[in-house]
Amino acid sequence: MIDLINLGVKSIFIDNMIFAYFLGMCSFLAVSKKVNTAIGLGLAVTFVLTITVPVDWLLLQYVLKEGALTWISPEFANIDLSYLSFIMFIAVIAAMVQLVEMTVEKFFPALYGSLGIFLPLIAVNCAILGASLFMAQRDYTFTEGIVYGFGSGLGFLLAIVALAAIREKMKYSNVPDGLKGLGITMLLTGLMGIAFMSFMGISL
Amino acid sequence: MSTETLERNKHESLFSKRRKKFLVDPLNDQNPITVQVLGICSALAVTTQMKPSLTMAISVIVVMVFSNLAISALRKLIPTRVRIIVQLAVIATLVTLVSEVLKAYQYDMYKQLSVFVGLIITNCIVMGRLEAFALGNKPWDSILDALGNGMGYGWIILSVAFFREILGSGKLFGYAIFDAVGIHNFPTNGLMVTPVGAFFVLGLLIWVLRTRSGYVER
């Protein structure tokens, strides 16, 4: 239990998807102009992550790993389908995002309008595929996978809302022409990254 | 967005002016990273050293060229509703191939790049160019566009990696050049090795490039 809490805290602050691994930068940069849309996107990403990581774990355990297919028949013990993991993971993610998009369109139409094309673009958000790939690489268990997915989503939400809040204030600053938009956002993210580095000293 | 020429009877040279633009524009004016704001994730993550950056650049160019070629060849047959899924399928297959080749011939590099090889699938540049160009243009033009964007991406990540590696560890391609020149105890900047350094170097690089080209983001 304590391990799970440690993993959760680690994935929110120390292994932060944006500041430690740079995953999810494209939507991070594009949607962080207003705090409301940032919160909406962060929650959508958290939801998708919490569901896709465990589903991908199940896929990995029972279909893709070496010897995973033994539940069908013991002769399949030598089959290693892990080279198919990219394709299968991305298929799961695309399906999940389609589901989320339909739900959001039905129940939160205002949010659907403000997110626009970035909702379906969650499917190609590196953070989602990255979380599944990290889960596979680090050999998490099922519950660890759920905690990791949820924690990564929260970390992303934290980062994107913080950056949106700063960018809203930046509108009133005197940014040099060459830095406007992407340039200053990169520098801002770097400074926020330094702040988040303070969490690295925490030993759990 | 189709830029197909209507003069089908005129024989256009392989590297006509129009086609040269596809190759040259993405290097600076339409650079995928600094202007189109695509592909930032891997631009930051693999640039701690030059060697992985070079491997990544080559992998991305290979994936882009072949996926552009495939989608452009099939563009009249793909129904609009499933085009994202078709693109993802093509890209995922190519990335799987590249990943297996890397695993076989460059295992150390594969281990170092770890998940970022797989993340080429979600690299916005690959899919962005498929959507914006390959779906509406002929195969040869699409190949040129892929090459141009791939090289534009490549030179940016190599530049970032150049500064990060030389300032962060005093080496280039793993070769300790400061020691070789005779400057020992070069004060390396530990921040350059961390993600923070990447953000700063990229931000400053964007500043320099955009000031030179005069592009202002609104």
Side-chain angles (χ1 to χ4, degrees), chain A residues 19-20 22-26 83 86-87 124 126 130 133-134 137 178-182 186-187 189-190 193-194 197, chain B residues 33 40-41 44-45 92 96 100 114-116 118-119 121-122 124 127 194-196 199-200 202-203 206-207 210 216-217:
Chain A
F19 297 119
F22 313 99
L23 299 179
M25 291 299 308
C26 297
Y83 64 92
F86 290 155
I87 306 185
V124 285
C126 335
L133 293 177
F134 276 130
Q137 193 190 53
L179 269 183
K180 279 203 179 112
L182 183 61
M186 281 285 133
L187 296 178
T189 319
I194 298 183
M197 274 174 82
Chain B
I33 299 190
I40 308 271
C41 310
L44 300 167
T96 311
E100 294 296 309
S114 66
V115 293
F116 290 102
L119 285 177
I121 301 179
T122 49
C124 319
M127 227 180 157
T194 66
V196 177
F199 286 122
F200 283 157
L202 190 58
I206 290 174
W207 192 1
R210 282 195 184 176
V216 179
E217 188 174 324

Side-chain angles (χ1 to χ4, degrees), chain A residues 149-165:
Chain A
F150 186 64
S152 305
L154 281 187
F156 181 83
L157 172 69
L158 190 65
I160 199 175
V161 170
L163 190 68

Side-chain angles (χ1 to χ4, degrees), chain A residues 8-194:
Chain A
V9 174
K10 227 174 107 174
S11 48
I12 299 179
F13 295 107
I14 307 178
D15 276 345
N16 189 291
M17 271 292 163
I18 304 242
F19 297 119
Y21 295 111
F22 313 99
L23 299 179
M25 291 299 308
C26 297
S27 45
F28 176 70
L29 294 169
V31 180
S32 54
K33 299 203 175 107
K34 287 185 50 116
V35 177
N36 291 334
T37 22
I39 297 181
L41 184 74
L43 288 174
V45 166
T46 310
F47 181 68
V48 175
L49 271 172
T50 317
I51 306 219
T52 46
V53 174
V55 170
D56 284 336
W57 185 91
L58 287 172
L59 219 66
L60 202 63
Q61 280 295 117
Y62 295 113
V63 182
L64 295 171
K65 256 167 69 163
E66 177 151 15
L69 287 174
T70 44
W71 55 274
I72 301 184
S73 146
E75 322 162 332
F76 292 156
N78 290 332
I79 299 189
D80 179 14
L81 291 175
S82 52
Y83 64 92
L84 285 180
S85 19
F86 290 155
I87 306 185
M88 301 255 58
F89 286 176
I90 207 86
V92 167
I93 294 171
M96 194 47 14
V97 169
Q98 185 65 43
L99 235 112
V100 169
E101 190 188 343
M102 294 195 301
T103 322
V104 168
E105 188 177 7
K106 185 104 182 8
F107 294 112
F108 306 105
L111 180 63
Y112 184 74
S114 64
L115 278 179
I117 190 155
F118 289 105
L119 200 44
L121 275 185
I122 297 179
V124 285
N125 187 330
C126 335
I128 317 260
L129 185 61
S132 291
L133 293 177
F134 276 130
M135 175 271 303
Q137 193 190 53
R138 295 174 190 166
D139 235 352
Y140 285 147
T141 65
F142 187 70
T143 31
E144 280 176 351
I146 302 181
V147 171
Y148 178 66
F150 186 64
S152 305
L154 281 187
F156 181 83
L157 172 69
L158 190 65
I160 199 175
V161 170
L163 190 68
I166 300 181
R167 278 182 93 180
E168 272 189 359
K169 301 270 194 260
M170 288 291 298
K171 276 194 284 214
Y172 305 108
S173 316
N174 219 350
V175 181
D177 276 348
L179 269 183
K180 279 203 179 112
L182 183 61
I184 198 71
T185 313
M186 281 285 133
L187 296 178
L188 276 175
T189 319
L191 289 170
M192 287 170 76
I194 298 183

Side-chain angles (χ1 to χ4, degrees), chain B residues 169-185:
Chain B
S169 56
K171 298 185 183 163
L172 261 191
F173 279 106
Y175 183 62
I177 67 163
F178 279 118
D179 279 343
V181 171
I183 309 174
H184 301 286
N185 300 323

